[in-house]
Amino acid sequence: MSKQFLRSGTSIGANIHEGVYAQSKADFVSKLSISLKEANETSYWLILLKKTDYLTLETYNSLKSDLDELIRMIISSLKTAKKE
């Protein structure tokens, strides 16, 4: 589970980084959409890691808070990109 968490978590940033150099607006939106899906998957693995007591409540809450903020930023960026 922790390896899946690592993979999906780092994929968020990798896709955002790719989006910075997107070839078009549609490509940018696509990369951010993939990042959002990866963030959702990361949330799933985070929940499982907490439920199996792999993470303390304090660590879980900290990571969840950071992840929720990142998701809000991605959603906001997607909304802005789709308006233009």
Side-chain angles (χ1 to χ4, degrees), residues 3-59:
K3 288 182 182 183
Q4 286 298 121
F5 176 75
L6 178 64
R7 281 187 199 108
S8 62
T10 56
S11 181
I12 300 167
N15 279 290
I16 290 171
H17 187 74
E18 280 189 53
V20 171
Y21 299 100
Q23 295 177 349
S24 65
K25 186 168 122 175
D27 188 30
F28 176 76
V29 169
S30 175
K31 296 300 181 195
L32 284 186
S33 295
I34 293 168
S35 291
L36 185 57
K37 288 180 181 183
E38 291 294 334
N40 185 51
E41 180 182 340
T42 301
S43 179
Y44 170 76
W45 292 117
L46 188 60
I47 290 165
L48 289 182
L49 288 168
K50 171 59 187 105
K51 288 187 176 189
T52 58
D53 294 324
Y54 189 84
L55 298 175
T56 65
L57 181 59
E58 182 180 344
T59 300

